[in-house]
Amino acid sequence: MKRKFLSILIPAFLLSACSTTISTRVKRPVQLDLEGARSIAVVPFQEAKRDGALVSILSILLTGSDPDKEKSETKKIADYVTDQLNSAIAEEAYFDLISSHVVEKKLRDNEKAPCDIYITGHIQGFECKVDRESHIQRNKKGDIERRYYTYSKHVDFTLVYEIIDSETGRVIQHHTDNISQTSSESEYEYALPSVYDMTTGQVSGSIRGFIKKIQPYYENISYTLLKDKEKNPDMKTALKLAKNGSLDSAQRIFLDIYETESIWEAGYNAALIYQAKAEYDKAEQLMEGVADKSRNEKAYAALSSIKADIRSQEKLKEQLAE
């Protein structure tokens, strides 16, 4: 039975000096089992906590860092995570996104949240340390010209995500990412970057990785077409067309070469173009023939990739139909 797939591939064809590469953007299914959840909320993430005034004083004396300032920085990070999750979920529209204010009120009243699941989390094990290193600068004669210090800041914490079943309050998924950054050295401590500025890049990567687990996401895929050992002139023409983005024309030539001259690389390239166009049944059928005839490892690997795409798209269709 012929399988039909959603038109979710967006071609973007790339030029390469040494090889012909075609690229596309494919939508992938949700990675985690969220037990059929269709509505979701993001309850604000919590900042890092420190206990007691003594800890605050010791932190300033031992590390040169100000816990009150760090608290405001970690709150900015926690708020950033909350905002980015809300934006990503709203943009994809895979879930019905419920207002966190409504959910928080229900939870405070010990009532069931009006959503299937909600995401929350916190910053754990936060550490911020400013290191000071002494230096001596000498002139050409070896005499001490000046003494000075350089400063660098190191930040380390764990970003904790939790997905909670609203009905039972059970944590159904738990995910953590370690965030660790060290600034470059500066002669001026006040010139060191803030915790927020140092870590938002890595935090953003963590958020993107987490979002891939809970909702469909796009992945950029590239396929490299093969040259033939026989150096068939028509192959060269087809490769040039593919480089210029004329995939249908290139594919017709590849198929003709494969059928008339049995050059397996031509069949391989034609099958990859089918795959890039999301015509997976045709890609699978053609690549199976190429692999059987050529017994080439590249053909077998490409066939496995096509079969994986078929399974992925079937899973995605099931998820979108729920």
Side-chain angles (χ1 to χ4, degrees):
M1 183 174 69
K2 185 174 181 180
R3 291 176 287 251
K4 294 183 178 179
F5 299 96
L6 300 175
S7 299
I8 55 176
L9 289 167
I10 306 171
F13 308 106
L14 303 178
L15 237 63
S16 173
C18 56
S19 62
T20 303
T21 303
I22 56 176
S23 294
T24 193
R25 194 166 177 248
V26 58
K27 199 171 192 178
R28 296 301 191 194
V30 179
Q31 296 176 5
L32 294 177
D33 179 11
L34 298 179
E35 304 177 2
R38 298 308 306 149
S39 59
I40 195 170
V42 181
V43 175
F45 276 54
Q46 299 300 304
E47 62 190 288
K49 294 186 174 77
R50 289 178 180 267
D51 297 322
L54 180 60
V55 174
S56 299
I57 294 169
L58 287 175
S59 296
I60 296 173
L61 293 175
L62 297 177
T63 69
S65 59
D66 182 349
D68 290 335
K69 185 176 181 180
E70 289 169 9
K71 185 177 180 181
S72 66
E73 291 290 332
T74 56
K75 185 179 187 311
K76 283 175 65 177
I77 295 169
D79 291 345
Y80 177 77
V81 175
T82 302
D83 292 344
Q84 291 300 304
L85 286 173
N86 271 309
S87 296
I89 293 169
E91 182 179 356
E92 178 60 33
Y94 176 69
F95 291 103
D96 293 328
L97 183 60
I98 309 301
S99 168
S100 63
H101 299 296
V102 175
V103 172
E104 286 183 279
K105 184 178 186 305
K106 290 290 185 181
L107 293 175
R108 283 196 299 270
D109 295 339
N110 292 318
E111 298 178 12
K112 179 187 177 299
C115 54
D116 296 326
I117 58 175
Y118 61 90
I119 301 169
T120 189
H122 59 276
I123 294 171
Q124 178 177 290
F126 180 84
E127 291 184 3
C128 177
K129 182 180 180 182
V130 176
D131 292 322
R132 186 178 75 168
E133 185 176 351
S134 63
H135 301 267
I136 295 176
Q137 182 177 319
R138 298 179 183 273
N139 58 27
K140 293 180 180 180
K141 295 180 180 180
D143 299 326
I144 295 176
E145 197 167 80
R146 72 173 182 128
R147 299 176 187 271
Y148 65 99
Y149 294 100
T150 58
Y151 301 86
S152 63
K153 182 184 290 186
H154 178 74
V155 179
D156 190 273
F157 61 86
T158 299
L159 190 53
V160 180
Y161 303 83
E162 290 182 337
I163 304 176
I164 299 174
D165 185 323
S166 298
E167 183 71 36
T168 63
R170 177 172 57 93
V171 177
I172 59 176
Q173 294 291 343
H174 180 89
H175 177 76
T176 62
D177 279 325
N178 179 251
I179 308 297
S180 183
Q181 292 291 321
T182 300
S183 72
S184 57
E185 292 185 347
S186 171
E187 288 191 43
Y188 307 101
E189 187 176 359
Y190 67 81
L192 293 175
S194 68
V195 171
Y196 179 83
D197 289 340
M198 285 176 63
T199 60
T200 45
Q202 192 176 357
V203 169
S204 295
S206 170
I207 295 167
R208 288 193 296 271
F210 179 75
I211 282 293
K212 288 181 180 181
K213 296 178 181 295
I214 67 169
Q215 66 182 22
Y217 64 96
Y218 284 100
E219 181 181 9
N220 295 322
I221 307 292
S222 296
Y223 307 99
T224 300
L225 305 184
L226 299 179
K227 298 178 181 178
D228 64 311
K229 294 180 180 178
E230 292 80 4
K231 300 194 181 299
N232 184 297
D234 290 334
M235 280 284 288
K236 186 175 181 180
T237 299
L239 287 168
K240 186 175 181 180
L241 286 168
K243 269 192 175 183
N244 293 329
S246 301
L247 289 193
D248 290 337
S249 298
Q251 188 177 45
R252 283 193 291 270
I253 297 174
F254 285 136
L255 287 170
D256 184 64
I257 296 170
Y258 180 63
E259 291 167 1
T260 59
E261 302 185 41
S262 297
I263 296 176
W264 74 267
E265 292 93 342
Y268 176 95
N269 292 346
L272 287 191
I273 292 175
Y274 277 134
Q275 186 179 10
K277 296 192 295 185
E279 298 181 46
Y280 296 117
D281 287 303
K282 292 180 180 179
E284 181 183 29
Q285 183 179 5
L286 180 54
M287 195 63 82
E288 282 178 343
V290 171
D292 287 342
K293 288 181 180 179
S294 68
R295 303 292 178 182
N296 186 277
E297 290 183 1
K298 287 185 177 180
Y300 285 120
L303 180 59
S304 295
S305 171
I306 293 167
K307 290 180 180 294
D309 275 349
I310 290 172
R311 292 192 298 271
S312 174
Q313 297 309 304
E314 287 178 338
K315 183 178 180 181
L316 177 62
K317 282 184 67 178
E318 290 174 2
Q319 291 174 349
L320 295 176
E322 290 178 351

